[in-house]
Amino acid sequence: FAESSASKLYNNIQKIVKTPLPAYKLLSVLNIPGIGDTLSKQILEKIPLENLYNIENFADIPNIGDERTNQLIKGLEEND
């Protein structure tokens, strides 16, 4: 039983490892306060993930104001 369970666990881990993570999930798993899946999707619809560090104004993104912008920038810096 133990060998069978270990084999199933290993196979499931391999499936997960081989499945690409959507960009919004990468942003949301950084655990930045106020930045979850929904807001991550909204942000990345306007700004590509690779350009988040270069953006100075998030005003075009719905539901993101100065406080969330500051949290996002701080969170990205802390996770760099």
Side-chain angles (χ1 to χ4, degrees), residues 38-78:
T38 302
L39 193 53
S40 293
K41 286 178 185 178
Q42 291 174 346
I43 292 168
L44 295 176
E45 285 175 1
K46 301 279 185 185
I47 306 165
L49 187 62
E50 58 273 4
N51 292 340
L52 284 180
Y53 285 103
N54 300 327
I55 200 74
E56 293 180 21
N57 187 358
F58 289 90
D60 294 340
I61 302 169
N63 303 318
I64 189 164
D66 292 338
E67 185 175 336
R68 282 200 176 136
T69 298
N70 292 333
Q71 289 174 327
L72 178 60
I73 292 168
K74 182 179 176 187
L76 290 172
E77 289 172 352
E78 289 174 355

Side-chain angles (χ1 to χ4, degrees), residues 25-36 40 71 75 78-79:
K25 279 288 188 189
L26 290 173
L27 182 56
S28 66
V29 299
L30 294 177
N31 293 322
I32 299 170
I35 310 294
S40 293
Q71 289 174 327
E78 289 174 355
N79 286 289

